[in-house]
Amino acid sequence: MKSLIKIFVLISFISLSIKAQVDMKTTGQGGINLKQTGQTTMNFLQIAVSPKAAGIGNSYTALSKGVESVFSNPAGLTEMDSKYQAFVSSTQWFADIKYLAGAVAWNGESYGSVALSFLIVDYGTIRGTALVDAASTSPDNYILTGDVKNVGAYAFGLTYVKQISPKFSIGGTAKYVGQQLGQFVDAAGNVSDNRANKWVFDMGVKYFPGIESLRLGMSMRNFSTFVRYQSFSSPLPITFAVGLGMNIMDLINKNISQDHSILVSTEFLHPNNYTDRVNAGIEYTYMNMISLRAGYESNHDIFSWSGGLGITQSIGGIKFDINYSYSTTEYFDGVNRFSLSVAF
């Protein structure tokens, strides 16, 4: 009976995710299998804030574990190895844009696991403009109006995950997100605010089929209705991901797998604002203390290779986990991410 329930949940999850993707691509977007670049809003929700995830090419849906999994696959929260965990990260993005993210989690064991999370985005300095009559000034039909105030974005989430069995976990996150893009001034001098708020939902499952350390992960992130700005509406950047991960030392030499771990993962992504992608990554860990990571993101117009480093140390019964990642880009400087996790 439990196996049938698991199969039903998996099929329902996949069906709902694919239907959501098709709906978002066909409703007012002009067709399927097109690159919908620039046609979604609140794209800050797509940015990876975990150096662990970014370091392995964002191939983290199956490997997600502990408190930071709330930003990729919530189902990984059930793999907490302590009662409480906290996570904070900083991401230096392009054009002076900065991301600050954090989460705290409680392992309720048979009651499930709960987490609170936040994401704050600083868009930096934005220069404002206003439309004017080109004939009265210059060939340009705009003037500079100074720095735009109150520009940024945020997301606050509540996650609940339940381990149905030792092999299967399922859960989700409800997020209240908002974005403020300053004020718009038209040719008549009318001022209007470009702001929007929305309830957004993430869902995820993880399944261990019982083949060594092999695990399957699936997630659907940023599911919501359209967001309206002034006279037009846009979908959010919904992403459906399916991933596989495994410690290949289980196949090479189990006798040394306690001291040496080599996690490999691959992931298929189906976003509603681009064509499908396949990511892959690898993480080597020595003595559960030092980790080296590398990954690749395919079919991306900006990202490709990435790498990272992690150091784990326990002091006085508290485990500290420090991580860093660097992602190369095509047209901009690379992206740096730092994080600190604490478990007790």
Side-chain angles (χ1 to χ4, degrees):
M1 183 63 182
K2 289 184 177 180
S3 298
L4 291 176
I5 294 175
K6 293 176 186 177
I7 294 172
F8 175 77
V9 171
L10 288 172
I11 294 175
S12 300
F13 185 87
I14 294 173
S15 300
L16 176 62
S17 301
I18 294 176
K19 182 180 185 302
Q21 297 293 330
V22 172
D23 288 347
M24 287 299 185
K25 283 192 172 183
T26 56
T27 305
Q29 301 298 321
I32 305 176
N33 296 326
L34 301 175
K35 289 184 179 180
Q36 307 293 333
T37 307
Q39 298 188 29
T40 57
T41 186
M42 295 189 177
N43 292 311
F44 70 93
L45 295 171
Q46 282 187 307
I47 306 305
V49 296
S50 166
K52 286 185 180 181
I56 58 173
N58 284 314
S59 179
Y60 200 57
T61 298
L63 298 183
S64 62
K65 180 180 179 180
V67 61
E68 62 192 85
S69 65
V70 301
F71 297 104
S72 52
N73 181 0
L77 190 64
T78 59
E79 295 183 62
M80 289 175 58
D81 54 7
S82 61
K83 189 70 173 179
Y84 303 98
Q85 287 187 359
F87 165 84
V88 63
S89 74
S90 174
T91 300
Q92 180 62 57
W93 200 246
F94 314 132
D96 201 32
I97 300 174
K98 300 179 179 65
Y99 292 79
L100 177 65
V104 293
W106 170 67
N107 183 0
E109 299 179 351
S110 61
Y111 297 101
S113 299
V114 179
L116 296 173
S117 59
F118 73 87
L119 172 62
I120 305 295
V121 185
D122 179 3
Y123 287 135
T125 301
I126 306 295
R127 306 297 183 187
T129 61
L131 296 174
V132 296
D133 184 359
S136 64
T137 55
S138 67
D140 297 327
N141 66 335
Y142 69 91
I143 59 173
L144 296 176
T145 59
D147 294 346
V148 180
K149 305 299 182 182
N150 300 323
V151 177
Y154 59 84
F156 299 97
L158 172 63
T159 302
Y160 176 75
V161 181
K162 176 72 173 177
Q163 187 177 43
I164 306 300
S165 73
K167 293 185 177 183
F168 187 81
S169 299
I170 185 170
T173 301
K175 299 183 293 188
Y176 186 72
V177 306
Q179 184 168 246
Q180 169 61 273
L181 300 178
Q183 294 180 330
F184 171 76
V185 182
D186 62 18
N190 299 316
V191 179
S192 58
D193 287 326
N194 286 307
R195 68 172 67 186
N197 299 284
K198 205 73 177 176
W199 280 103
V200 181
F201 302 93
D202 298 344
M203 292 172 280
V205 298
K206 290 192 75 173
Y207 178 65
F208 292 82
I211 305 173
E212 301 298 344
S213 59
L214 180 67
R215 74 286 307 271
L216 166 69
M218 292 187 289
S219 68
M220 181 174 64
R221 301 188 290 269
N222 308 320
F223 179 75
S224 183
T225 56
F226 280 43
V227 174
R228 184 176 181 83
Y229 285 103
Q230 297 181 18
S231 60
F232 63 93
S233 298
S234 300
L236 270 69
I238 301 176
T239 301
F240 174 61
V242 178
L244 291 171
M246 185 178 187
N247 180 6
I248 62 173
M249 289 302 295
D250 292 342
L251 304 177
I252 299 174
N253 190 337
K254 280 190 174 182
N255 295 328
I256 63 173
S257 62
Q258 296 297 321
D259 297 334
H260 302 271
S261 169
I262 302 178
L263 293 173
V264 295
S265 65
T266 184
E267 182 168 312
F268 170 82
L269 296 99
H270 179 61
N272 69 333
N273 58 2
Y274 211 81
T275 50
D276 298 335
R277 294 172 175 151
V278 177
N279 299 339
I282 184 170
E283 176 190 84
Y284 167 72
T285 302
Y286 174 69
M287 297 289 291
N288 294 317
M289 294 176 55
I290 300 176
S291 299
L292 298 175
R293 306 180 181 98
Y296 183 79
E297 299 180 57
S298 71
N299 190 33
H300 206 294
D301 50 6
I302 297 178
F303 291 107
S304 56
W305 294 100
S306 59
L309 170 70
I311 299 175
T312 302
Q313 185 65 52
S314 295
I315 302 175
I318 301 177
K319 185 172 74 173
F320 296 88
D321 193 10
I322 301 173
N323 291 278
Y324 166 77
S325 72
Y326 179 83
S327 301
T328 60
T329 64
E330 182 70 21
Y331 307 105
F332 306 94
D333 294 334
V335 175
N336 295 280
R337 297 174 176 87
F338 295 90
S339 73
L340 171 64
S341 299
V342 180
F344 53 93

